[in-house]
Amino acid sequence: MSNTVQSQTKLKNNTLVPIIIIAGLFFIFGFVTWINGALIPFMKTINELTDAQSYFVASASYISFVVMALPASYIINKIGYKKGMSLGLIVMAIGALLFIPAAEARTYWMFLSAIFIQGIGMTLLQTASNPYITILGPIESAAKRIAIMGIANKIAGSLGSVIFGAILLSGIKGIKEKLMVVDEVEKSNLLNTMADSVVTPYIIMALVLFLLGVLIRKAPLPHVEAAPIEASETGEKAKTSIFQFPHLWLGVLALFVYVGVEVIAGDTIISYGISLNIPVEEAKFFTTYTLMAMVATYALGVFLIPKYISQSLALKASAFLGIILSFCIVFSTGFTSVLFVAALGIANALVWPAIWPLALTGLGKFTERGSALLIMAISGGAIIPPLYGFIVDIKKEDLIVSGASEVNALAEASSFGYWILLPCYLIILYYAFGGHKVGLKKG
């Protein structure tokens, strides 16, 4: 018994420093990812966009995971997890620097290009760090380790949302009012001045990312490998292709819709609050509400998993809560509805930590490829939020044609758009109950 206790203590000591380092990386891409909630209304104003167009800010970031995930897995297979993390940070820094010429030109496609390049860096970082933390210890407690990563990620997201909300959205209501009455020259000057406000924070961000990219090369991260695929005792042929793991592919689908609803919960809530005529000074904190709800639930997951509840049970509870909250958002109004959107953070928090170990179970030598596919699923954040925006635009036009004022039409349409959440949570619910078992041997 004493030998067992000693070995467990040694394992904890060996993994503590790597967990802290990887948590730092999750903090970084949490900060970068969740400033989109402030960037969306900011870009909408300076580039004079529709709701649907403004959500391409999220698309530019998340579509990079489709483009880069498989190449990232090959790169990491060649250079290793640590060098992959370093390269990801440096690419993110390059993307941050591109915000400077984008602000000078005030051109939307240049901003989207800079966000896309940052997304490529985050893809490398995520493709390396997620499987690393998953297989750093026992698979049964992987959700606990990933929940710790989530705490770092969302605390950083909260800070990023507040800081960039204060920098980018300060005085935006007054600027919008001025834009309606000034001539074209004055309008252009106002928008150019507003665009220039991104330069200093992104220069600082680039410097920090470059520095960390260099430092991570010297970090004490041990080499880890996934457990091999167990040999069959019934004469079953060994797995020879990634396509022979249906539970993985269903996990990719579940993760795809999950990232979509997570991004909607975090990135639409500020715009939603503004559409309900809530002052910008108050609405700019709404993304923080969502992220703090996630942090609290992550902390609960660290305590409960796997000692008191299993990863699959956590996923079932999350999906059920997401379905309930989806109805609550649509059938409530005003600030109460905003709070229900924020409460999606509770429903979303344990989905990512639960899906990863369930989807990677039994993959053995296919773990890196499976991880790349799961990273590609992050593209749900590129597709589902713009669909929300399209629904809002179409519903708003219908309501205006029916005689509603533009203000009331936008508020009602923004609420109606949240119906898109329901099918997403139903897919997650299926994966929680049976999808994660498809194709795996019983017992």
Side-chain angles (χ1 to χ4, degrees):
M1 180 66 71
S2 61
N3 289 336
T4 302
V5 173
Q6 288 177 356
S7 64
Q8 288 176 344
T9 303
K10 185 177 180 181
L11 179 62
K12 287 181 180 179
N13 291 336
N14 289 341
T15 59
L16 179 60
V17 172
I19 285 174
I20 292 171
I21 293 170
I22 302 301
L25 296 181
F26 273 79
F27 184 94
I28 291 163
F29 56 70
F31 189 96
V32 175
T33 299
W34 290 101
I35 59 178
N36 284 344
L39 279 176
I40 287 169
F42 175 79
M43 294 292 182
K44 183 180 178 183
T45 300
I46 67 170
N47 293 115
E48 302 176 274
L49 309 171
T50 66
D51 281 286
Q53 289 171 335
S54 69
Y55 287 109
F56 283 111
V57 167
S59 296
S61 178
Y62 289 100
I63 201 67
S64 59
F65 291 100
V66 173
V67 176
M68 196 60 195
L70 286 175
S73 72
Y74 286 113
I75 291 170
I76 290 162
N77 191 44
K78 292 290 184 184
I79 68 177
Y81 289 119
K82 186 192 290 189
K83 291 181 180 178
M85 295 172 197
S86 174
L87 180 60
L89 288 165
I90 291 170
V91 173
M92 287 173 68
I94 294 170
L97 286 177
L98 290 177
F99 268 79
I100 299 168
E104 292 297 321
R106 194 165 55 82
T107 305
Y108 191 40
W109 71 264
M110 290 183 68
F111 279 114
L112 295 182
S113 298
I115 293 168
F116 177 76
I117 291 171
Q118 279 205 313
I120 288 176
M122 283 193 287
T123 305
L124 279 162
L125 200 57
Q126 292 249 31
T127 306
S129 57
N130 276 288
Y132 186 91
I133 201 67
T134 300
I135 62 180
L136 184 62
I139 195 71
E140 295 80 11
S141 60
K144 174 186 287 189
R145 293 189 297 278
I146 299 175
I148 294 171
M149 301 304 107
I151 291 172
N153 184 276
K154 268 54 185 186
I155 288 175
S158 299
L159 290 173
S161 176
V162 171
I163 292 169
F164 275 74
I167 293 171
L168 303 182
L169 302 181
S170 179
I172 193 173
K173 185 176 181 180
I175 292 172
K176 284 182 176 180
E177 291 172 353
K178 287 182 180 179
L179 292 174
M180 297 173 68
V181 297
V182 299
D183 59 32
E184 287 300 316
V185 175
E186 183 63 22
K187 180 179 182 180
S188 179
N189 289 336
L190 282 169
L191 293 176
N192 287 337
T193 301
M194 188 176 177
D196 287 341
S197 63
V198 303
V199 173
T200 300
Y202 273 91
I203 288 175
I204 296 171
M205 183 189 296
L207 291 173
V208 171
L209 290 169
F210 270 122
L211 179 61
L212 291 171
V214 173
L215 292 177
I216 198 71
R217 294 288 294 271
K218 300 182 182 299
L221 294 174
H223 176 73
V224 296
E225 290 184 3
I229 301 173
E230 293 182 8
S232 173
E233 297 178 0
T234 60
E236 182 184 345
K237 290 183 179 179
K239 304 288 187 181
T240 58
S241 168
I242 197 70
F243 294 101
Q244 294 174 298
F245 299 94
H247 76 286
L248 166 67
W249 291 93
L250 289 169
V252 171
L253 175 61
L255 209 62
F256 177 88
V257 296
Y258 157 69
V259 177
V261 297
E262 183 190 53
V263 173
I264 283 177
D267 284 0
T268 69
I269 190 169
I270 293 176
S271 295
Y272 181 49
I274 294 172
S275 76
L276 298 177
N277 208 29
I278 295 172
V280 174
E281 291 72 20
E282 183 179 349
K284 69 184 180 184
F285 294 106
F286 288 167
T287 295
T288 302
Y289 294 175
T290 305
L291 297 180
M292 286 297 95
M294 294 188 79
V295 168
T297 312
Y298 277 133
L300 190 63
V302 170
F303 173 72
L304 294 176
I305 301 171
K307 187 175 182 180
Y308 297 103
I309 64 172
S310 66
Q311 294 167 155
S312 61
L313 180 58
L315 192 58
K316 292 172 186 175
S318 298
F320 271 125
L321 182 58
I323 290 168
I324 293 168
L325 289 173
S326 298
F327 283 109
C328 291
I329 294 166
V330 175
F331 291 111
S332 61
T333 58
F335 185 65
T336 301
S337 186
V338 171
L339 290 178
F340 282 128
V341 177
L344 288 173
I346 302 171
N348 292 339
L350 298 180
V351 177
W352 177 279
I355 289 178
W356 266 85
L358 291 174
L360 292 181
T361 297
L363 262 63
K365 66 180 180 180
F366 295 102
T367 297
E368 283 81 7
R369 188 68 59 83
S371 298
L373 291 171
L374 290 169
I375 292 296
M376 288 179 72
I378 296 175
S379 61
I383 295 170
I384 296 175
L387 287 177
Y388 167 84
F390 281 120
I391 293 171
V392 172
D393 283 341
I394 292 170
K395 183 67 174 179
K396 181 174 71 174
E397 289 177 9
D398 289 344
L399 290 168
I400 290 173
V401 169
S402 300
S405 68
E406 186 168 347
V407 172
N408 290 337
L410 177 59
E412 185 175 339
S414 298
S415 177
F416 180 83
Y418 286 108
W419 276 116
I420 198 171
L421 299 172
L422 190 58
C424 296
Y425 283 115
L426 287 172
I427 290 171
I428 295 169
L429 187 66
Y430 163 71
Y431 191 71
F433 272 93
H436 70 280
K437 302 175 187 176
V438 175
L440 291 177
K441 292 185 297 180
K442 293 182 178 179

